[in-house]
Amino acid sequence: MKNTSVTFKDSKKNGEKLTMLTAYDYTTAKLLDESGVDSILVGDSLGMVVLGYDDTLSVTMEDMIHHSAAVARGAKNALVITDMPFMSYQTSVYDAVVNAGRLVKDGKAQAVKLEGGIEFCEHIKAIVKASIPVCAHIGLTPQSINAFGGFKVQGKGKEEAQRLLDEARAVEEAGAFAVVLECVPEKLAKKISESISIPTIGIGAGAGCDGQVLVYQDMLAMYSDFKPKFVKQYAQIGSVMKDAFRQYIDEVKSGAFPSEEHTFKIDDDIIENLY
Ligand code: KIV
């Protein structure tokens, strides 16, 4: 059954935990979908784990549309949520609606995600009014890395914790169907999850959230530039890939690949009569 923003909200009502992983291409999306994940996030983490930038700030609308459409082709049942990249919505409510619309029309997203709380509620309301479901994202919001001065846990002090709770309530009120909580202390994330009716999706926010999200290259140990504390590596796919690449290189160099089973045949007659 196709997951939607509505089934997402129902899951919270029914006390079912939600699963979300990122993907940026058709093959990975299909593998995730076949594994039964509830949602695929085409995150702007694309900038770091696929395009090799230091942060997410250089990612463009064209990048997001291109990768979102590829993911959507591979996602039969998972809800496809696509990130609004830096400066695609911060500039105005109008830009937010136009660009959310492009992610749906051209990127085939079923919903969009944007970073920010209270200050972006007008944007969320306008996008939702255009019938596009919005997932909010508060706590550590990587597009604000320059303002934060680094990747840091958010909401540890009394005022900051209250602010995050207020932000969560505000995005719910503005019409968001879910909210990502990134790098938030576990007890605060639990309090937020209990205080709002829309699902919270945690990343570095502990077990009290209504669901969890991870970047797939992180959970498969494929991205080695940076390993946040909250990442659990479920498999060492990076090493498996490197071993396979090395074996291929050795076999090509030694002549062991390709062998008989990987080659096509032709009658000797034909070859002998060529001039
Ligand atoms: O871009 C992304 O992958 C994200 C997740 C880390 C939540 O926003």
Side-chain angles (χ1 to χ4, degrees):
M1 196 190 75
K2 186 70 174 164
N3 286 279
T4 66
S5 59
V6 176
T7 60
F8 239 57
K9 286 200 274 190
D10 289 345
S11 294
K12 172 149 181 162
K13 277 191 215 133
N14 300 333
E16 293 157 12
K17 293 269 187 191
L18 287 158
T19 55
M20 183 187 288
L21 285 165
T22 64
Y24 317 91
D25 67 273
Y26 170 79
T27 303
T28 311
K30 203 156 172 269
L31 287 168
L32 289 178
D33 197 75
E34 288 166 0
S35 307
V37 75
D38 296 310
S39 174
I40 300 179
L41 173 67
V42 189
D44 62 355
S45 47
L46 162 80
M48 298 169 78
V49 296
V50 175
L51 302 177
Y53 300 137
D54 288 337
D55 53 43
T56 60
L57 303 182
S58 308
V59 176
T60 64
M61 275 297 296
E62 282 62 38
D63 292 332
M64 295 311 299
I65 288 170
H66 182 73
H67 289 271
S68 178
V71 166
R73 287 191 283 273
K76 247 178 54 201
N77 295 318
L79 169 66
V80 177
I81 304 175
T82 301
D83 260 347
M84 300 201 67
F86 184 54
M87 285 300 132
S88 68
Y89 61 95
Q90 288 91 340
T91 42
S92 69
V93 169
Y94 176 82
D95 286 349
V97 177
V98 169
N99 285 320
R102 288 187 68 203
L103 292 177
V104 172
K105 279 172 86 101
D106 304 331
K108 308 296 175 208
Q110 290 169 265
V112 299
K113 176 166 83 58
L114 59 81
E115 296 181 7
I118 292 167
E119 70 278 29
F120 289 105
C121 281
E122 287 314 308
H123 304 61
I124 295 173
K125 277 186 202 160
I127 300 171
V128 171
K129 203 167 161 197
S131 301
I132 300 172
V134 177
C135 176
H137 180 160
I138 61 174
L140 174 63
T141 47
Q143 291 179 17
S144 306
I145 188 74
N146 289 325
F148 287 144
F151 291 100
K152 295 178 191 152
V153 178
Q154 301 295 305
K156 282 178 100 169
K158 186 166 176 273
E159 275 168 30
E160 294 78 26
Q162 184 60 54
R163 169 88 186 170
L164 272 183
L165 182 54
D166 294 344
E167 304 256 30
R169 288 182 173 137
V171 296
E172 174 183 22
E173 176 70 26
F177 75 94
V179 56
V180 168
L181 304 180
E182 180 164 353
C183 280
V184 173
E186 179 168 31
K187 284 186 180 162
L188 175 59
K190 186 165 185 289
K191 170 83 184 164
I192 292 173
S193 304
E194 289 165 356
S195 305
I196 58 177
S197 67
I198 57 172
T200 57
I201 309 297
I203 175 160
C209 295
D210 303 306
Q212 298 292 326
V213 58
L214 283 176
V215 170
Y216 93 84
Q217 287 91 338
D218 286 341
M219 59 96 75
L220 296 183
M222 293 168 69
Y223 180 74
S224 55
D225 292 8
F226 174 60
K227 182 187 171 300
K229 172 183 160 72
F230 56 77
V231 168
K232 176 170 176 181
Q233 295 181 332
Y234 282 82
Q236 296 298 314
I237 300 301
S239 317
V240 171
M241 287 173 81
K242 278 202 266 182
D243 286 347
F245 297 151
R246 285 191 194 111
Q247 191 181 345
Y248 165 79
I249 292 165
D250 289 348
E251 289 192 5
V252 170
K253 300 257 186 212
S254 71
F257 176 83
S259 60
E260 286 260 329
E261 59 173 317
H262 302 114
T263 46
F264 303 104
K265 303 273 176 248
I266 188 173
D267 284 346
D268 287 346
D269 267 9
I270 297 175
I271 297 296
E272 280 155 20
N273 287 309
L274 292 177
Y275 53 90

